[in-house]
């Protein structure tokens, strides 16, 4: 008769443990910001938020385990490309479409439309500059 044996380690790996600690610090900082805003203590909330962000950075920098590997980098790369594609379509199709609708008098565009347009432009300008920079380095 064979007995079921549990693995020698039932705790999560060091990598997972430190990742959880890092993200918990960030989550606590974000939660503290929202609670402080609700209590009308914005400056305190921002200070607690930054404490969480700095804590996350310190855990990532000084943890004895490597928190991210090639799989994480591949996931990030695919997610980044998908995000850029979605916003590229919104920028390329939405900006001229909104301007045509405003010009024909169908809609009145709020100021936020122009702010969003310039923000998307800036994101893609920085992306293009980064592609040129890293393309020439390799």
């Amino acid at each position: 008769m064979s007995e079921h044996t549990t693995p020698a380690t039932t705790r999560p790996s060091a990598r997972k443990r430190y990742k959880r600690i890092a993200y918990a610090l960030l989550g606590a900082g974000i939660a503290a910001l929202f609670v402080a805003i609700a209590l009308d203590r914005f400056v305190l909330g921002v200070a607690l938020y930054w404490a969480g962000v700095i804590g996350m950075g310190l855990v990532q920098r000084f943890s004895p385990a490597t928190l991210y590997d090639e799989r994480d980098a591949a996931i990030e790369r695919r997610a980044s490309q998908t995000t850029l594609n979605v916003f590229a379509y919104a920028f390329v199709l939405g900006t001229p479409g909104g301007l045509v609708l405003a010009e024909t008098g169908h809609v009145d565009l709020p100021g936020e439309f122009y702010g969003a347009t310039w923000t998307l432009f800036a994101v893609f300008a920085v992306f293009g500059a980064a592609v040129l920079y890293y393309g020439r380095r390799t």
Side-chain angles (χ1 to χ4, degrees):
M1 183 187 232
S2 65
E3 289 184 30
H4 176 68
T5 58
T6 60
T9 60
T10 56
R11 295 186 331 198
S13 69
R15 178 176 161 232
K16 284 184 181 180
R17 188 172 350 116
Y18 283 105
K19 272 178 115 171
R20 286 180 185 164
I21 292 169
Y23 287 117
L25 287 169
L26 178 64
I30 292 169
L33 175 62
F34 286 127
V35 169
I37 289 172
L39 298 174
D40 201 24
R41 300 285 190 250
F42 183 73
V43 175
L44 175 64
V46 170
L48 292 172
Y49 168 75
W50 277 108
V53 169
I54 291 169
M56 178 185 186
L58 290 173
V59 169
Q60 289 179 341
R61 172 70 176 93
F62 294 111
S63 67
T66 303
L67 301 185
Y68 301 98
D69 58 9
E70 298 84 18
R71 180 177 173 271
D72 295 316
I75 291 169
E76 258 182 40
R77 195 170 31 256
R78 288 174 56 198
S80 298
Q81 189 62 48
T82 300
T83 302
L84 282 174
N85 286 339
V86 167
F87 282 102
Y89 282 114
F91 182 56
V92 169
L93 300 175
T95 300
L99 294 174
V100 166
L101 289 173
E103 188 65 30
T104 58
H106 286 87
V107 296
D108 289 326
L109 294 176
E112 290 84 358
F113 176 83
Y114 300 101
T117 299
W118 282 109
T119 300
L120 286 172
F121 175 77
V123 166
F124 286 106
V126 170
F127 176 73
V131 167
L132 286 173
Y133 175 77
Y134 289 114
R136 291 179 187 219
R137 283 188 53 181
T138 57

